[in-house]
Amino acid sequence: SNIFRAGENHVAVLRTSDCSLVGYITVGHDPWGIASTADGEHCYVSCGYADSVYILRTSDNSIEATIPTHGRPRDIALSPSEDLLYVVCQVGECVDVIRTSDRQTLTSIPVSGDPIGVAMTPDGKYLYVTGDGSDSMSIIGTADCTILKKLQIGNAFSHGLFPPDGSIMYIGVTYDGCVKILGNVDVGPLAILSPSGIVDSGNVYQP
């Protein structure tokens, strides 16, 4: 199998068996987010300055199609069933919802605060959209594409990650130099982890 990594205007293809470089696929300028289908046959790549998502066919490392988006697409997420692709658009300040079967944009969800990152819960019910120009994070319900809640997180965070059980969320906070751990929608921030500290009851202590 291969790993796809975004570069300045290309995607590097790495072979996992021996960690060697297979080659490059030229895409639009400023590729940012990458999401692959479970079968590995297709790869979606958002290209910020091309205002598009490129669909790559992995069998021959070619571009199969492009999908136009709102301004400067950043992070992307595939639904668990892979029928929907969610694209965070930084300048457009929205999340484009794209149906993958016919590659049509179904709706766009307004999200303020310079959005750039997105994480989806493993069950596909919620999207967590993080921003670069705001200290809040928008929680979107995918059933009706509405913002359910906003959480105050911290200073210029970019991306979140869920473990398989979806019980907590890890968020990297750029300027604060830490990782924050969040609980579910109703709980909010649980603790903050710092590279130079340890966590105890939600506080960071310097060793």
Side-chain angles (χ1 to χ4, degrees):
S1 61
N2 294 329
I3 293 176
F4 295 82
R5 183 183 185 279
E8 183 176 354
N9 63 345
H10 63 265
V11 174
V13 184
L14 307 175
R15 185 165 47 235
T16 59
S17 60
D18 58 4
C19 297
S20 63
L21 177 66
V22 175
Y24 296 96
I25 305 172
T26 300
V27 294
H29 188 55
D30 191 30
W32 185 280
I34 295 180
S36 296
T37 55
D39 59 12
E41 293 184 0
H42 290 91
C43 185
Y44 297 89
V45 181
S46 64
C47 295
Y49 291 110
D51 292 340
S52 299
V53 170
Y54 282 65
I55 304 176
L56 309 183
R57 186 170 51 239
T58 60
S59 59
D60 57 3
N61 293 333
S62 64
I63 296 172
E64 184 170 292
T66 59
I67 305 171
T69 67
H70 281 86
R72 198 170 297 177
R74 290 306 191 189
D75 212 2
I76 59 180
L78 263 177
S79 63
S81 58
E82 300 184 356
D83 59 332
L84 296 173
L85 179 70
Y86 297 88
V87 183
V88 176
C89 300
Q90 184 178 13
V91 173
E93 290 201 318
C94 64
V95 176
D96 285 346
V97 184
I98 298 170
R99 186 169 53 211
T100 57
S101 59
D102 58 4
R103 297 158 185 172
Q104 296 297 309
T105 300
L106 300 179
T107 188
S108 296
I109 309 166
V111 179
S112 60
D114 210 15
I116 59 172
V118 65
M120 176 175 279
T121 53
D123 59 12
K125 292 182 178 180
Y126 302 104
L127 281 176
Y128 288 66
V129 180
T130 58
D132 189 43
S134 165
D135 62 357
S136 67
M137 177 175 63
S138 299
I139 303 172
I140 297 172
T142 58
D144 55 5
C145 295
T146 58
I147 295 178
L148 304 175
K149 190 175 182 179
K150 285 196 174 184
L151 296 178
Q152 300 300 311
I153 305 300
N155 193 0
F157 50 93
S158 60
H159 190 70
L161 180 66
F162 283 97
D165 64 5
S167 60
I168 59 176
M169 181 184 184
Y170 300 93
I171 298 178
V173 185
T174 307
Y175 297 143
D176 289 347
C178 67
V179 173
K180 292 194 174 184
I181 303 176
L182 278 73
N184 59 34
V185 175
D186 296 321
V187 174
L190 294 180
I192 300 174
L193 294 176
S194 169
S196 59
I198 58 175
V199 174
D200 180 38
S201 301
N203 297 312
V204 177
Y205 294 86
Q206 299 300 324

XYZ file of all heavy atoms in Angstrom, residues 11 23 33 44 48 54-55 68 70-71 77 79 87 89 104 110 129 142 145 154 157 162 165 180-181 183 196 200:
201
model
N 1.506 15.908 -4.616
C 1.326 14.905 -3.570
C 2.396 13.843 -3.750
O 2.538 13.280 -4.847
C -0.078 14.265 -3.649
C -0.200 13.123 -2.654
C -1.158 15.304 -3.393
N 6.779 8.363 -6.318
C 6.728 9.468 -7.272
C 5.878 10.605 -6.754
O 5.499 10.639 -5.574
N -5.392 19.248 2.854
C -6.018 18.094 3.486
C -6.039 16.883 2.578
O -6.165 17.012 1.358
N -8.697 11.927 -1.766
C -9.187 13.297 -1.946
C -8.141 14.271 -1.397
O -7.667 14.100 -0.273
C -10.508 13.502 -1.217
C -11.637 12.637 -1.723
C -11.862 11.365 -1.191
C -12.495 13.082 -2.722
C -12.905 10.563 -1.640
C -13.541 12.284 -3.181
C -13.738 11.032 -2.643
O -14.757 10.246 -3.094
N -5.651 24.655 -1.550
C -6.105 25.945 -1.067
C -6.223 27.031 -2.101
O -7.251 27.706 -2.193
N -9.085 17.738 -5.366
C -8.645 16.829 -6.425
C -8.925 15.395 -5.995
O -8.659 15.020 -4.855
C -7.150 16.995 -6.693
C -6.810 18.213 -7.529
C -7.036 19.504 -7.050
C -6.255 18.078 -8.795
C -6.734 20.627 -7.807
C -5.939 19.191 -9.558
C -6.185 20.458 -9.060
O -5.881 21.554 -9.834
N -9.463 14.605 -6.917
C -9.712 13.189 -6.658
C -8.644 12.385 -7.393
O -8.549 12.444 -8.629
C -11.103 12.751 -7.125
C -12.174 13.624 -6.455
C -11.335 11.279 -6.786
C -13.571 13.331 -6.942
N -14.981 21.864 -7.480
C -14.818 23.241 -7.008
C -15.371 23.413 -5.596
O -16.359 22.773 -5.216
C -15.618 24.061 -8.023
C -16.618 23.100 -8.583
C -15.962 21.762 -8.577
N -15.630 26.448 -2.030
C -15.504 27.843 -1.636
C -14.028 28.163 -1.370
O -13.167 27.291 -1.444
C -16.364 28.118 -0.410
C -17.823 28.292 -0.718
N -18.689 27.227 -0.810
C -18.560 29.411 -0.962
C -19.911 27.671 -1.092
N -19.860 28.981 -1.197
N -13.760 29.429 -1.027
C -12.396 29.921 -0.969
C -11.472 29.207 -0.013
O -11.800 29.013 1.155
N -12.753 15.760 5.607
C -13.113 14.542 6.335
C -14.151 13.768 5.537
O -15.099 14.348 4.995
C -13.669 14.888 7.712
N -17.136 10.884 5.587
C -18.061 10.233 6.506
C -17.728 8.744 6.581
O -17.108 8.192 5.668
C -19.499 10.428 6.026
O -19.692 9.813 4.762
N -15.562 19.581 3.564
C -14.393 20.385 3.210
C -14.454 21.715 3.952
O -15.399 22.498 3.762
C -14.332 20.644 1.691
C -13.057 21.415 1.332
C -14.401 19.336 0.913
N -13.479 25.404 4.418
C -12.996 26.476 3.530
C -12.653 27.703 4.367
O -13.547 28.332 4.946
C -14.053 26.802 2.481
S -14.482 25.398 1.428
N -21.245 16.353 -6.238
C -21.990 17.600 -6.182
C -21.994 18.156 -4.760
O -22.085 17.407 -3.787
C -23.436 17.381 -6.650
C -23.559 16.954 -8.102
C -23.039 18.003 -9.058
O -23.415 19.178 -8.991
N -22.161 17.581 -9.956
N -22.153 27.663 7.212
C -21.347 28.826 7.626
C -20.623 28.567 8.949
O -21.237 28.127 9.917
C -22.391 29.937 7.775
C -23.587 29.469 7.012
C -23.588 27.973 7.141
N -15.019 21.595 14.098
C -14.291 22.476 13.183
C -13.462 23.461 13.987
O -14.004 24.229 14.795
C -15.256 23.228 12.249
C -14.478 24.141 11.310
C -16.091 22.230 11.443
N -24.183 16.435 11.959
C -24.225 16.095 10.534
C -25.627 15.714 10.058
O -25.886 15.717 8.850
C -23.257 14.945 10.223
O -23.595 13.803 11.021
C -21.824 15.359 10.525
N -26.841 19.371 9.541
C -25.796 20.345 9.168
C -25.964 21.680 9.880
O -25.867 22.752 9.263
C -25.772 20.548 7.655
S -25.293 19.090 6.714
N -8.710 27.794 22.981
C -7.383 28.347 23.249
C -6.872 29.127 22.069
O -7.643 29.596 21.234
N -5.542 26.989 17.367
C -5.402 25.544 17.228
C -5.726 25.149 15.795
O -6.394 25.869 15.065
C -6.313 24.815 18.213
C -7.728 25.311 18.193
C -8.670 24.714 17.392
C -8.083 26.389 18.979
C -9.971 25.176 17.373
C -9.391 26.851 18.965
C -10.330 26.252 18.161
N -9.718 11.958 17.048
C -10.486 11.091 17.941
C -9.888 9.692 17.967
O -9.489 9.169 16.927
C -11.939 10.964 17.460
C -12.795 12.156 17.764
C -13.007 13.133 16.802
C -13.398 12.291 18.997
C -13.808 14.223 17.071
C -14.201 13.388 19.277
C -14.404 14.360 18.313
N -12.952 4.874 19.875
C -14.202 4.848 20.635
C -14.889 6.212 20.709
O -16.028 6.320 21.171
C -13.975 4.307 22.048
C -13.062 5.201 22.885
O -12.670 6.290 22.416
O -12.750 4.796 24.023
N -4.698 19.769 24.000
C -5.847 19.791 24.901
C -6.685 18.547 24.675
O -6.826 18.073 23.551
C -6.675 21.049 24.686
C -5.949 22.311 25.124
C -6.872 23.497 25.217
C -6.121 24.695 25.793
N -7.010 25.861 25.983
N -7.245 18.032 25.758
C -8.106 16.851 25.693
C -9.521 17.281 26.035
O -9.751 17.915 27.065
C -7.638 15.766 26.674
C -6.182 15.378 26.384
C -8.545 14.548 26.581
C -5.619 14.384 27.374
N -13.762 16.218 26.323
C -14.731 15.148 26.438
C -15.796 15.282 25.371
O -15.543 15.831 24.305
N 6.025 19.979 28.682
C 6.908 20.080 29.844
C 6.163 19.883 31.155
O 6.673 20.185 32.218
C 7.600 21.450 29.861
O 6.635 22.486 29.907
N -3.001 16.680 36.097
C -3.613 16.175 37.322
C -4.893 16.967 37.563
O -4.848 18.165 37.800
C -2.665 16.336 38.504
C -3.266 15.812 39.787
O -3.955 14.772 39.744
O -3.065 16.451 40.828
